[in-house]
Amino acid sequence: MSSIIQLLPDHVANQIAAGEVVQRPASVVKELLENAIDAKANDVKLIVKDAGKTLIQVIDNGVGMSVTDARLCFERHATSKIRLAEDLFDLSTKGFRGEALASIAAIAHVELKTKQDQEELGHHIVIEGSKFISQDVAVLPKGTSFLVKNLFFNIPARRNFLKSETVEMRHIVDEFQRVALAHPNIYFTLIHNGSEMFNLPASNYRQRIVNLLGGKTNEKLVPVTEDTEIVKISGFVGKPEYAKKSRGEQFFFVNDRFIKSGYLHHAIMNAYDGLLKEGNQPSYFLYLQVPPNTIDINIHPTKTEIKFDDEQALYAILRSAIKHSLGQFNVAPVLDFERDPNLDTPYEYKNKDSDSPTIQVDANFNPFIEDKPVRNNNNSYASSGNYTKRETANSWESLYVDLRKDTAEVESISFESEEVTGSFFDNMEVENTTSRTYQIHKKYIVSSIKSGMLVIDQNKAHQRILYEQYLTNITVKHASSQQLLFPLELYFSREEIQFIKELQPSLENTGFIFDNIKEDSIQIGGIPVSIQESEVSILLEELINGLQHNIPESTFSLNDGIAKTMAKSLAVKTGTYLAEIEQENLVNGLFACKDPNVSPFNKPIFITISVEDLDKKFAL
């Protein structure tokens, strides 16, 4: 019987390894950027075409490679950071060349141009699908240039699984931002299809965050610092009033490497306890420095998840540091037991009684005495006060003359008497016969039908009505707008601005009017008729948050997602009182829809209870 197990050829093994390392173009970007950083470069340029499907090029001014290193970096199991098995648990670099380059070269056309500073000439190597095509000497500047073309050219099935250009480019931008935030001392540039997306000069951590996310980010940041034997924490957290629904601005860096940690995220949420609205997420950019031998970064293929030796202590330190920062900068209320000595009573006045204020009263003051002297009949001024008092009394009595006439007129007016035509229960019976709908617990609407009664969820019913309305407006491209007296200016990060630009045509069909879109802000001159001005920012945030994590592949899916998000955000909420006319309009609008049975999210909108079911309940 022949053997079943056999060794795979190198090119096949490389392609299998590439499936683990290179999932999409963003994986190549991550590896090449990290290699450039380990090469001690201070200027890194990323050039991308067609979201990395056609071209990915990373150019750096690092130390370069010798001819031997240039050939060895494409071999399997070649690395610069591991010599012994114990080195896996004491890593201080990201891996200078090697490891992933063999996998990348197995599924793409790769060109390497590199030159060391002390050498006069550099080296140019071309590889296609793990096969060396050429190796030449060339005149090159100091540093290294990796050019990856036609990704997955020899694996068509894998290439077909790639998403749209918009989706893949968003993943590339995510990887670029993570590397750029971890290394603010390096000049980064990102160019896509010939246009510059990011130009980030070398700066400090705070300025790098502002350059990436927009100028208004600066006023949102609260610095965090803590230095212990276990961990050294630095970075920034966002103020609670700027929290958003999305989790896009949350970054953890451990030893300058981006990670994801639900455990540490819970520590931050615990520090914000009582400061955030329900469902909101704070922004944070936290840099943790720990001894390399206290973490394991190889528990995940992409190294975005790591394991700490003492997670509980790290949790407590991180939570305490953030709470302290929020309190120190008057973001959160804190208990302050220190007294202001300036507010204390002076010592010499401590035992003295307070003096009561003195009040002076003029006993001769009479408010009814006129200032001007009164003439008598003999053309002499009266010197006595009796005549003045009598005249004053007569003048006061004259004030009531007209008032008596008005009172008599009022008394002559007759009012209609209200007659009670029936008892309280009779009135209720009349209302029951005329009313068609009822609201229960400000959540459900009950309406009678021939076979029994109908119980409708008011929130889901309104979602269905708005969903079909917005979807029709987007498709037909005809919607009413209300002009704003003053344009509404909203601020977003650069990534969110790019997303809004993609949504702009569909949003304009629903009634939005965009006056101007800048790098970090937008101006809105008109909004749909059914939306309040205060709801616009919340709606756009929910649109971005909902569609960022579920990016549609087609225009119809995008329009459908917009209509669903707007309907969910603007539908009448549970707990809202509806007048009888509003209830009837909601019921009529629901059954005028094409599909009144389920909400846009496939949840039942109403249930029917027949008379037979009610009879059975009472027959028990």
Side-chain angles (χ1 to χ4, degrees), residues 507-573:
L507 290 176
E508 287 177 343
N509 292 334
T510 63
F512 280 96
I513 299 176
F514 294 90
D515 290 343
N516 190 13
I517 299 182
K518 302 178 183 178
E519 289 186 353
D520 59 351
S521 65
I522 61 173
Q523 280 189 350
I524 299 177
I527 58 178
V529 178
S530 57
I531 299 179
Q532 300 294 328
E533 186 175 346
S534 59
E535 298 174 333
V536 174
S537 60
I538 300 174
L539 174 62
L540 291 179
E541 284 183 13
E542 291 186 356
L543 273 173
I544 294 171
N545 181 37
L547 299 181
Q548 263 183 340
H549 298 90
N550 186 20
I551 302 168
E553 290 296 316
S554 63
T555 304
F556 174 78
S557 300
L558 177 64
N559 295 339
D560 184 70
I562 292 174
K564 285 182 178 178
T565 304
M566 292 181 67
K568 182 179 180 181
S569 178
L570 301 174
V572 59
K573 301 296 187 291

Side-chain angles (χ1 to χ4, degrees), residues 151-170:
L151 196 64
F152 299 121
F153 79 99
N154 52 356
I155 311 179
R158 193 65 179 273
R159 189 177 180 87
N160 292 336
F161 274 100
L162 293 179
K163 304 296 183 181
S164 64
E165 183 174 323
T166 303
V167 178
E168 296 298 340
M169 192 59 206
R170 190 162 293 115

